[in-house]
């Protein structure tokens, strides 16, 4: 019966009023004879001491989440959000940089290319460059089958299957003459430091075999 008045209080004044749980805690506190309305002292370093650390985390990595900040600093997630909001921080989508170049961008690109070509005339370096890249290649494993048909009889028709989502990672290296070396990444393998070193060793071997080194 004691809980009904507190529930009615929330029903009347809305969700911003004291919740039932909070009202229960204060009721028990007053019932025990403790009429001190101040929050009990909490152990540990005051959260206010970590406000600067919160802002430092944001400035170091603008994409960091409030959950990561809270975890690294050992404070409550809502506390992080409150301080960021108070300081005027909000989460915004990054702005895409348009591919269209301005007239000045185009002119700078032309001038840079021209200077590189002039430098290459006195100090050839362009033919020494090797470029590498990785790309996912999708492929279709569907194969058409042959069926027996009599002379003059049309081939048997079958429904064309949909495209599969099979894909493989292509790693390729090339220079001014063309492709030097390429590899298809084995299924389930990812490019890590160990595999990358192995690939560079195989690339170096191809360079020696082709006489390009």
């Amino acid at each position: 019966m004691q809980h009904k008045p507190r529930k009615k209080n929330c029903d009347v004044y809305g969700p911003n009023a004291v919740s039932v749980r909070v009202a229960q805690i204060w009721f028990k506190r007053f019932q025990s004879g403790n009429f001190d309305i101040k929050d009990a002292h909490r152990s540990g370093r005051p959260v206010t001491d970590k406000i600067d650390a919160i802002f430092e985390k944001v400035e170091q990595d603008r994409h960091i989440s409030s959950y990561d900040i809270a975890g690294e600093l050992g404070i409550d997630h809502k506390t992080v959000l409150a301080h960021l909001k108070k300081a005027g921080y909000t989460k915004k989508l990054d702005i895409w940089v348009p591919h269209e170049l301005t007239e000045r961008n185009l002119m700078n690109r032309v001038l840079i290319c021209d200077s590189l070509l002039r430098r290459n005339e006195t100090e050839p370096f362009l033919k020494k460059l090797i470029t590498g890249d990785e790309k996912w290649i999708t492929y279709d494993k569907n194969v058409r089958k042959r069926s027996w048909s009599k002379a003059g009889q049309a081939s048997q028709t079958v429904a064309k299957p949909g495209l599969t989502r099979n894909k493989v990672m292509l790693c390729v290296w090339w220079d001014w003459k063309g492709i030097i070396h390429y590899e298809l990444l084995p299924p389930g393998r990812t490019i890590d430091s160990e595999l990358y070193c192995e690939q560079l060793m195989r690339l170096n071997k191809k360079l020696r075999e082709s006489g390009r080194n």
Side-chain angles (χ1 to χ4, degrees):
M1 296 296 294
Q2 295 174 348
H3 291 214
K4 289 184 178 180
R6 292 188 291 275
K7 185 175 187 305
K8 290 181 178 179
N9 182 53
C10 295
D11 293 339
V12 172
Y13 293 103
N16 293 328
V18 177
S19 65
V20 175
R21 178 59 181 164
V22 173
Q24 291 174 352
I25 294 174
W26 283 101
F27 181 84
K28 291 181 180 179
R29 187 169 180 175
F30 295 149
Q31 191 178 40
S32 65
N34 183 1
F35 296 98
D36 186 4
I37 61 174
K38 294 182 179 180
D39 291 332
H41 176 71
R42 298 181 180 180
S43 60
R45 185 180 180 184
V47 176
T48 53
D49 293 348
K50 297 186 178 180
I51 295 179
D52 291 339
I54 294 175
F55 300 148
E56 289 178 2
K57 293 287 185 183
V58 173
E59 292 302 325
Q60 291 173 1
D61 182 6
R62 300 284 292 277
H63 295 99
I64 192 171
S65 69
S66 53
Y67 287 98
D68 290 339
I69 295 175
E72 293 177 11
L73 298 180
I75 57 180
D76 186 70
H77 167 247
K78 293 182 179 179
T79 302
V80 175
L81 288 178
H83 286 298
L84 290 175
K85 184 177 181 180
K86 186 176 180 180
Y89 284 96
T90 57
K91 274 279 188 175
K92 298 180 180 179
L93 289 174
D94 293 342
I95 300 175
W96 290 107
V97 178
H99 289 286
E100 293 80 8
L101 300 176
T102 64
E103 290 294 332
R104 183 175 181 179
N105 296 144
L106 292 172
M107 184 58 64
N108 287 337
R109 181 168 291 187
V110 171
L111 293 175
I112 292 173
C113 292
D114 183 65
S115 64
L116 290 175
L117 289 174
R118 291 178 181 275
R119 173 188 168 189
N120 188 66
E121 293 175 358
T122 57
E123 181 187 354
F125 70 95
L126 292 178
K127 293 183 179 181
K128 298 179 181 179
L129 296 180
I130 298 176
T131 305
D133 197 8
E134 299 87 25
K135 182 177 179 61
W136 284 107
I137 304 296
T138 57
Y139 62 95
D140 187 3
K141 294 177 61 177
N142 298 322
V143 178
R144 288 193 297 175
K145 298 180 180 180
R146 295 179 179 273
S147 58
W148 293 104
S149 301
K150 294 182 180 179
Q153 184 180 9
S155 301
Q156 183 178 350
T157 59
V158 293
K160 183 179 180 180
L163 294 177
T164 60
R165 295 185 177 181
N166 296 304
K167 60 181 182 180
V168 63
M169 173 69 78
L170 171 66
C171 305
V172 59
W173 293 264
W174 68 91
D175 63 1
W176 68 284
K177 290 183 178 180
I179 294 178
I180 303 172
H181 177 61
Y182 71 90
E183 297 182 1
L184 297 176
L185 204 64
R189 187 77 185 273
T190 57
I191 297 181
D192 51 21
S193 58
E194 181 180 356
L195 175 60
Y196 191 65
C197 290
E198 294 175 1
Q199 290 179 330
L200 291 180
M201 292 177 64
R202 289 190 285 270
L203 172 63
N204 186 41
K205 181 180 178 181
K206 287 292 184 67
L207 287 171
R208 291 198 304 267
E209 292 175 353
S210 62
R212 299 185 186 184
N213 58 335

